Structure formats: structure tokens, C-alpha cells
Amino acid sequence: MGQATRKVVVLPGDGIGQEIVPQAVRVMAIMAKRHGITITTEEHLVGGTAYDKSGTPLPTGTLEACKTADAVLLGAVGGPKWEKLDYSVRPERGLLGLRKELELFANLRPARLFPQLVGASSLKPEVVEGIDVMVVRELTGDIYFGTPRGVTGAGDQRRGVNTMVYTAPEIERIARKAFEVARVRGKKLCSVDKANVLETTELWRNVVTEVHRDYPDVQLSHMYVDNAAMQLVRWPKQFDVMVTGNIFGDILSDEASMLTGSIGMLPSASLGERYAMYEPIHGSAPDIAGKDLANPIATILSVGMMFRYTFGIAQAEAEVEAAVSTVLDQGARTADIAAKGEPTIGCKAMGDRIVAALSR
Ligand code: IPM
Ligand code: MG
């Protein structure tokens, strides 16, 4: 590798984001050195912490910085402190605003089980052993962003509305992404919709089927979302890549994460044509925030994804995964992945262990 300098904007956000992100930044520094790239980092506010400081969950300075970065590393946003705020300034709006403004339409959420954690899954070992599912979630459309939206009227007359909407080009670009992801994996793509009830998702099914013509080497199937939710816990090994809309993807990726033992293990990459953001799939976990209890592995694995997808160094991702595997072999467990009675370590100590494994 050359001496290229890259800029990463670091957004710890709220709750445990403040604890897990520093551990991931340590790993990022080690990997940069090892692979001969110089990374400069710049930290900015987002979410509730940004709201407290500046009255908005997505300050202009944060967004502008992200637009000049090669990649963004995000922790988590949200917490009970901000739940009473108007939707327009909730912490979650900061995250959704980033996704929308940076046009991060493709969210890759890989659910892979580290064999050491077979016992941490709530499912039987034979069901989860060896699972390796990639959920490709559309991230800038659907009921998350559709209008009209909101609650009108008062008392008995109150009426709430959200709008599920997709255009054909929006479906086409996420479908292409998913076929491309499937092409370099197991060549099997399952598209998830609710085409028996929702017209928007019937359009989804039709467009995905049309795009399939360009990817004859990938085997395509379709599944209704209720069945997909059931199949994920019944026999998850039937899946290679799943592609679905924003809201179904939100739900199914949380479900998929539990196959791997803990939601604290799942990284993600949010990709667009120009920008990229890397974030764990879990939230800010206010109940354990500030107690050094959080699992930093999802964020650390997200750094691995950054090296692969933004810096084009797939080897680095494999090295990060190997380091995680090493510390799991050594018995290092944060509370969320510990079996009953197993000793646990904190967030910082887990970071120390992974850093040590990488530094050997
Ligand atoms: C996720 C989260 C977010 C989402 C929240 C925090 C807005 O659940 O990244 O899955 O719903 O997309
Ligand atoms: Mg979610």
C-alpha cells in the first residue's frame, strides 16, 4: 500500500456509543499502521448529545465533516432522556438524517456465528452452528421517510399516519447491490416482501425479478416477511443473502443477530455511491451506559468492514475477525455473551484483549 492519507469522522453519539467507539478507534489505528495507511480522525457530535449542546441532533458541522470524510464510524444514538422530544429533533433523527443526506442506501448486516459462542445463542447448537447470513437492508426509503406522516387531530379524533413508499429506481439499486453481494458469497439471494398484502412490496418483488435477468448466476427466491421471520429461527442455514426494505430489514436484522448469541456482535456497513458509514446494529443501551459493561465487538468488527469496503483491504477485515476469535478462544466475555456462571470482563478490557491479540 502507498502512503495515502484517509479521513475518518468519528461519531460516538449517545449511551454506550461513548464507550465502544474509543475501543474501535484503537483497533482502527493498529490496522492502519499494519496496512500502511495514514488515518486522521475527527470527532463530532450526533444524536442526543448533539441536541443538548446545539439544539439539533445533526449539527451542520457534523454533516459537513462527514461529507469530506472517506468514512464515518458511528456508535449509537438515543436514550430515555430525549424520548419526550418532538420527532424532528429526536436523537434518531440525527442518524436517519445522516443516512439520508449521505445517501447510504445499502446497509449490509452480516450475521455470522463465532463457534465459541454457540452456547450464547438462545437456539439449539445444531440450528445455529455455522450460520453465515448477510442481510442487505435498504436504508433511505420506505415507511421511515415516506410522507405524509404524523399525528393530527385531538382526543378521540387523533389520527396517526406513516407512508410506505418505494420507487422502482430505489428498488433497482438496492437489488443490484444485493445481487452483487450474493455473487461473491453463496450465490443465493432471498428477497423479502409482503407482496400478498402491500402493493409497494409487490412492486419490490417485480423489480427484483427484473434485475435478476442481469444476474443469472445468482439463484433468486422470494419470501413473505412473516415467513422469513419464522424461517430465520427455524432453519437459518437456508439463507445466504437476504434483501429487503428498510422496516423489514430493521426487524429481521435484530432477529438475525440473536442467532449469533448477542446483538452486541453484529457490525454493519451503510454504503452509498459516494459515502460510507460503519456502525454496530445495536442501539445506545442506556440501561448499561457509563458502567463499562458494553460489548465493543460489533463496533470493532465494523472497523473491519471499513477496511474492506472503503479501503479495499479485505485482509484487514479477516485479521480483525481473527483477533476477535482469538480472545473468544481465551474465554474473554462481556456480560451479553457470557454463559451462565462464566466470568465477565468490561468494555475497556475487551478492547485491551483485542488490541493485544492484534499486536502480537
Ligand atoms: C438500527 C436502529 C435504528 C433504525 C434506530 C436507532 C433509528 O434500530 O440501526 O437498526 O431503526 O434504523
Ligand atoms: Mg434496528
Side-chain angles (χ1 to χ4, degrees):
M1 291 298 298
Q3 294 300 309
T5 298
R6 311 297 194 113
K7 177 167 145 189
V8 174
V9 164
V10 176
L11 308 174
D14 308 323
I16 60 168
Q18 300 282 341
E19 298 162 59
I20 54 182
V21 166
Q23 302 311 319
V25 168
R26 294 169 74 194
V27 169
M28 188 167 78
I30 292 174
M31 298 317 291
K33 194 159 177 212
R34 182 182 283 197
H35 291 279
I37 53 175
T38 308
I39 296 182
T40 59
T41 60
E42 207 180 286
E43 195 170 311
H44 287 275
L45 296 174
V46 72
T49 34
Y51 174 82
D52 287 348
K53 263 248 165 77
S54 61
T56 165
L58 182 54
T60 322
T62 299
L63 180 59
E64 288 313 311
C66 292
K67 285 187 174 170
T68 66
D70 292 288
V72 178
L73 178 66
L74 178 109
V77 296
K81 185 176 171 199
W82 304 285
E83 266 165 19
K84 291 271 171 289
L85 291 176
D86 187 77
Y87 269 95
S88 61
V89 289
R90 292 244 185 118
E92 289 77 6
R93 279 280 129 201
L95 175 57
L96 298 176
L98 276 172
R99 290 172 178 171
K100 191 75 180 174
E101 294 292 328
L102 301 176
E103 291 176 83
L104 306 171
F105 67 89
N107 185 212
L108 311 189
R109 300 189 155 188
R112 210 164 331 156
L113 179 72
F114 285 90
Q116 301 91 332
L117 297 183
V118 163
S121 175
S122 49
L123 297 182
K124 292 195 192 101
E126 62 267 31
V127 174
V128 293
E129 248 158 18
I131 62 148
D132 182 358
V133 182
M134 175 72 90
V135 179
V136 178
R137 170 189 177 193
E138 200 288 331
L139 206 58
T140 52
D142 204 352
I143 199 164
Y144 270 61
F145 295 96
T147 52
R149 64 184 302 151
V151 178
T152 52
D156 281 358
Q157 300 300 310
R158 279 171 300 172
R159 180 170 184 273
V161 57
N162 286 96
T163 303
M164 182 176 253
V165 52
Y166 269 121
T167 63
E170 283 178 307
I171 302 167
E172 185 184 334
R173 66 178 179 177
I174 190 69
R176 287 198 184 281
K177 189 84 196 176
F179 278 114
E180 265 147 37
V181 168
R183 196 168 244 181
V184 296
R185 286 176 45 106
K187 296 193 186 334
K188 265 170 62 184
L189 179 64
C190 178
S191 173
V192 177
D193 60 43
K194 188 71 184 171
N196 51 343
V197 179
L198 304 170
E199 289 86 344
T200 323
T201 73
E202 187 182 34
L203 176 66
W204 176 283
R205 185 175 285 221
N206 292 339
V207 173
V208 172
T209 305
E210 287 157 27
V211 173
H212 184 212
R213 288 189 210 121
D214 294 340
Y215 301 87
D217 51 321
V218 177
Q219 184 194 321
L220 173 69
S221 61
H222 301 275
M223 203 179 267
Y224 296 139
V225 64
D226 49 349
N227 186 24
M230 186 267 277
Q231 295 296 338
L232 259 179
V233 286
R234 191 187 72 86
W235 194 242
K237 279 181 249 188
Q238 69 187 281
F239 297 111
D240 174 22
V241 181
M242 303 173 92
V243 62
T244 190
N246 206 345
I247 186 77
F248 297 161
D250 179 45
I251 298 164
L252 292 179
S253 60
D254 263 34
E255 189 187 4
S257 77
M258 270 323 284
L259 308 173
T260 72
S262 167
I263 193 166
M265 296 296 294
L266 246 71
S268 89
S270 304
L271 310 173
E273 303 295 349
R274 294 160 64 189
Y275 307 108
M277 183 160 81
Y278 298 87
E279 49 174 317
I281 84 152
H282 60 69
S284 59
D287 52 323
I288 59 164
K291 298 181 182 158
D292 192 36
L293 289 174
N295 183 353
I297 292 178
T299 319
I300 287 171
L301 293 173
S302 300
V303 166
M305 293 187 86
M306 180 192 295
F307 273 76
R308 169 158 173 196
Y309 291 102
T310 291
F311 304 144
I313 312 174
Q315 173 64 18
E317 184 187 43
E319 287 165 7
V320 173
E321 287 171 3
V324 169
S325 189
T326 300
V327 306
L328 293 176
D329 277 338
Q330 295 164 352
R333 300 282 187 275
T334 42
D336 58 312
I337 51 174
K340 225 180 156 167
E342 252 177 358
T344 62
I345 60 174
C347 180
K348 165 112 196 350
M350 182 59 97
D352 290 344
R353 297 287 286 266
I354 294 170
V355 163
L358 281 171
S359 309
R360 275 193 321 199

